[in-house]
Amino acid sequence: MNLKLELVVLPVSDVDRAKAFYERAGFRLDVDKAPVEGWRAVHLTPPGSEASIIFGEGLTPAEPGSAQGLYLIVTDIEAARTELLERGIAVSEVFHDGGGVLFHGHAGGTATHDLPAQRRLPGRHPEGLSYASYATFSDPDGNGWVLQEITERVPGR
């Protein structure tokens, strides 16, 4: 059985502001429908992704900004960061984690534990390890995104 993650619901406070942000970030608008009063769905897809995001009115009781640790995988962290900056998106500096394995911070990409493996160290991973270099950004509501550079996938992926 295949199980594919297809859609992630984001809680936002202002649908039009969120839509403008994600379009500016380069996400493709797939759907913007409001068939009845009190319900609206805006569906967008990041460039090159098979999974999408959806937000709107009447879709989720979650607090705006509560979605954290949303990963966007890139093959060149510096180029992705530069493109987002050129599109007007505030992105952190590139960093790597102290353990070189997996950054798992929350709240807009800020580490929540004082563990060596979560400490942000400046720049790409010094050995260029795949899965080990990051940058973060948040949407206008504070939903937290992590750019992760993957240049070589683990076997089976």
Side-chain angles (χ1 to χ4, degrees), residues 3-8 43-46 49-54:
L3 298 173
K4 294 185 176 184
L5 178 62
E6 192 79 19
L7 192 62
V8 174
H43 180 278
L44 298 110
T45 303
S49 180
E50 292 187 27
S52 302
I53 60 170
I54 191 168

Side-chain angles (χ1 to χ4, degrees), residues 92-103:
S92 75
E93 295 292 330
V94 172
F95 63 93
H96 62 284
D97 64 89
V101 179
L102 177 65
F103 175 74

